[in-house]
Structure formats: structure tokens, C-alpha cells
Amino acid sequence: MCLPCTGIRMSGRLSRRIVVVTGAGRGLGRAIALGMAREGATVWICARTKPELEETASRIRKEGGVVEVRTVDLVDAGACSDFISNVLIVAGRVDVLVNNAAVLDLLPIDQLDQKLWDQTLAINLTAPFVLSKSVLPSMLTTGGSIINVSSRAGAAGFANEAAYCSSKFGLEGFTRALAVELSECGIS
């Protein structure tokens, strides 16, 4: 494992691995992308905001890592599958998929409209489904890992977070079902 913020590769255990990280423009996604790159992976990062992605990419490159940047609106299922198709064409496979991207809008239920509900479920639940399904042809032949980032909201309800909690409860169920279904296929 890498020492925090040093950029020193401690193991290189992900050398020659292709890793996809969604929501990598900031926060946890950025930290995951940096950590994967520090371990030697070629990291493909995506989010909606190009300037934030470029900042993440700059930090990875500054530390000697290899990164590819794509802006992707994860609300659009077609854009999700096109993104993975592009990774597969260029890199040949995906070894690790990290479904990290998420949105959270704090609103009481009487102010939560259908559009925001749909957007939250699209990014937090449907995109991980589409991206996971898109990497399966690659992973079924080479093995790999799918990591879905959830939160405490996937196990407990919170006021003013109906859409977020619903999406994270769904993501927890999806992750468990996927683990059972794919465990014998070399995909963890």
C-alpha cells in the first residue's frame, strides 16, 4: 500500500492492471484513482466535470502514473456503455471497475420532484448496473473486481435523503446479488 500523499509506489501490485473509477473528479473518487495509480494501475477516470477530472489526472501524472480522462454523464445509460466500450477498444480489458459516482440532494420528501428522484437513481444505481454489465464480457474471460461504493444510507434511512437512501439500499442489494452470481466466474 502507498504512504498517503507521497506518490511513492510501495508495491506495484496493480501493475499492468486497467482500473475504471467513476466520480473521480474529487473527494473519494479522486483518492481512489490516486491510490490505484500509486499501485501501478492504468486508471481510466470519468465524471461530468472536465476541470475536476483534469486536476485528478494532473496529480496522477505528476506522481508518474498513467491515466485516461473521459467526461461522461452517468445519467445517460448509453454514455455509460459507450465509455466502457471505448476502454475495451483502447485498453483491451477492464480488471477493476469502481462504481463510486453518486449524487446527494438534501430535500424533504414534499420538495423532492420526479426529475431529481430519477437523476439520483440513474447515477447512484442504474449507472453501476450498466457499467457492471458492460465490463462483464471482459471480466468473464480474464477475471476482475467490481467495487460498488455505498454508504451508511444503504443500511439506514435518513430524513431529507429519500432518493439517496433508496438508491444506496438498491446498490447494496445489487452488489450482494452480483457477488453471489459472479463468484464462480472469477469476478469478485
Side-chain angles (χ1 to χ4, degrees):
M1 190 55 118
C2 203
L3 295 174
C5 302
T6 64
I8 299 169
R9 283 207 179 95
M10 297 303 289
S11 74
R13 63 182 159 190
L14 295 178
S15 180
R16 295 187 299 274
R17 299 281 189 234
I18 306 300
V19 175
V20 171
V21 181
T22 68
R26 58 192 161 122
L28 184 57
R30 177 178 283 169
I32 291 168
L34 284 161
M36 296 288 191
R38 288 174 182 149
E39 292 298 323
T42 297
V43 184
W44 286 70
I45 59 173
C46 75
R48 288 185 286 187
T49 51
K50 187 149 181 128
E52 290 178 342
L53 284 172
E54 289 299 340
E55 172 63 26
T56 301
S58 174
R59 290 172 70 174
I60 290 171
R61 289 181 185 116
K62 190 176 193 177
E63 295 183 14
V66 179
V67 62
E68 293 288 334
V69 176
R70 299 293 185 275
T71 53
V72 179
D73 184 356
L74 297 178
V75 169
D76 180 352
C80 293
S81 57
D82 289 348
F83 169 58
I84 295 299
S85 292
N86 183 252
V87 176
L88 293 172
I89 289 167
V90 174
R93 70 184 190 286
V94 173
D95 299 303
V96 179
L97 168 63
V98 181
N99 287 310
N100 168 72
V103 293
L104 165 63
D105 291 291
L106 299 172
L107 289 172
I109 191 68
D110 63 337
Q111 294 178 26
L112 179 61
D113 64 21
Q114 180 78 38
K115 182 178 179 185
L116 189 56
W117 173 271
D118 290 343
Q119 177 186 354
T120 301
L121 267 66
I123 292 170
N124 298 3
L125 181 58
T126 303
F129 160 73
V130 172
L131 293 162
S132 297
K133 191 170 177 181
S134 297
V135 300
L136 280 181
S138 168
M139 288 188 180
L140 287 171
T141 59
T142 62
S145 296
I146 298 172
I147 301 166
N148 294 322
V149 178
S150 189
S151 79
R152 291 182 336 129
F158 297 100
N160 303 318
E161 296 183 22
Y164 184 75
C165 289
S166 297
S167 69
K168 292 302 183 174
F169 266 82
L171 187 62
E172 290 284 334
F174 173 67
T175 301
R176 290 176 184 162
L178 206 60
V180 171
E181 186 173 338
L182 299 177
S183 64
E184 295 181 15
C185 301
I187 301 171
S188 57

